[in-house]
Amino acid sequence: MHSLSLQARVAQATMDRVEGFVLPIAAPVMHSMLEQEAAHLVMVNLEAYASRIKS
């Protein structure tokens, strides 16, 4: 019982350390990817709107 809780605490501490290390790196990457996707959608919509105005 004791060894299991020790393993669980070690696993939790490891996960906390991994999240503390990975999240600050991953968050800006995800943010910039979402911004690029949003910018792409805006451009596509603007092009579709412009082509409708011309025709």
Side-chain angles (χ1 to χ4, degrees):
M1 197 76 175
H2 179 72
S3 63
L4 185 67
S5 66
L6 179 63
Q7 280 180 322
R9 277 184 297 195
V10 169
Q12 185 59 54
T14 303
M15 283 304 298
D16 289 346
R17 198 169 299 134
V18 167
E19 286 179 1
F21 180 70
V22 170
L23 286 179
I25 298 171
V29 171
M30 290 296 297
H31 187 70
S32 68
M33 284 171 63
L34 289 172
E35 279 185 347
Q36 287 174 5
E37 186 63 27
H40 175 69
L41 288 173
V42 168
M43 287 303 297
V44 168
N45 285 332
L46 282 176
E47 286 168 7
Y49 183 65
S51 68
R52 249 187 319 223
I53 291 174
K54 285 180 194 162
S55 59

